Amino acid sequence: MRNSFILILSALYLVGCNASNEGQKINIRIVEEASGEITPVMACITSVDDGLVRIPPEAAIPDSVSRVKDFYKGIAFESEKNWIGPIRKMNGIGDNDDRSFVYQNFPSIPHWGEPVAYQVSGDFSITLPPGTWRISLEHGNEFIPINEEFTVSSGDKEITKTYTMKRWINLPAQGLFMEQL
């Protein structure tokens, strides 16, 4: 009986190792157009095939979202590579403690169709299995959001993708600030 249990554990370990070897490392860099500097954004990477969200760097599927109390103390942003902030529920009915109750079936940001969002430092990597993926990026109301699909093939080597956040308007340059609107 004990030997069978050890064999099963060994097999599960090998399956896990093989599954992780099937993934391809995707390096993602987000820059602001005007400065060319790496910039933090709100992001979501979703499988087009099964609709599941993946969290960098290991492509974990989140089993829960951050709770309201997680935001009370503030978010300790770090500009280092692979920093990932709290996972926010962005649409769908939930409860008042997951920040979704007030939005009901509407997205909390009008153009954001993804189920969750998380902050990233702007320079991160994620290991994704082969398939079609959607990345959504947002850098504030003055920037054009990015929604793009890309494919990861089993024969791919390490992939690097750079996204440029472009302003559609620059209110401070026009002498306008949000407090004045």
Side-chain angles (χ1 to χ4, degrees):
M1 179 75 163
R2 184 168 190 265
N3 287 341
S4 297
F5 181 71
I6 291 172
L7 284 174
I8 290 171
L9 284 178
S10 298
L12 288 173
Y13 173 77
L14 290 175
V15 167
C17 288
N18 288 338
S20 66
N21 288 339
E22 291 178 22
Q24 306 300 321
K25 184 176 181 182
I26 316 296
N27 297 305
I28 298 176
R29 180 168 285 177
I30 300 119
V31 297
E32 199 222 324
E33 181 181 44
S35 68
E37 298 290 321
I38 293 172
T39 189
V41 297
M42 183 173 78
C44 186
I45 298 174
T46 309
S47 168
V48 172
D49 302 324
D50 62 19
L52 294 175
V53 171
R54 302 297 176 103
I55 307 296
E58 294 92 13
I61 299 169
D63 57 356
S64 64
V65 296
S66 301
R67 311 309 284 173
V68 169
K69 65 182 175 186
D70 298 327
F71 295 92
Y72 286 156
K73 59 186 174 223
I75 299 168
F77 172 75
E78 297 176 23
S79 61
E80 63 192 40
K81 184 175 178 70
N82 287 330
W83 177 83
I84 305 297
I87 303 167
R88 297 180 183 194
K89 185 169 186 167
M90 299 301 283
N91 60 43
I93 301 236
D95 58 46
N96 202 36
D97 197 35
D98 67 10
R99 302 185 69 189
S100 67
F101 179 74
V102 311
Y103 305 116
Q104 300 174 355
N105 277 328
F106 301 105
S108 59
I109 298 176
H111 66 271
W112 192 264
E114 302 301 332
V116 301
Y118 42 87
Q119 283 76 32
V120 295
S121 63
D123 185 17
F124 65 96
S125 61
I126 183 168
T127 301
L128 295 172
T132 304
W133 299 90
R134 180 177 56 252
I135 186 168
S136 296
L137 305 170
E138 154 83 39
H139 184 58
N141 295 330
E142 293 184 12
F143 290 82
I144 300 167
I146 293 173
N147 296 291
E148 179 183 294
E149 287 186 7
F150 62 93
T151 302
V152 175
S153 301
S154 59
D156 288 342
K157 299 293 181 199
E158 193 169 292
I159 299 169
T160 299
K161 299 184 81 46
T162 300
Y163 295 95
T164 303
M165 301 306 298
K166 299 177 181 179
R167 280 186 183 271
W168 69 272
I169 193 166
N170 189 336
L171 295 176
Q174 295 179 18
L176 299 172
F177 300 97
M178 292 308 290
E179 299 90 35
Q180 296 173 333
L181 297 179

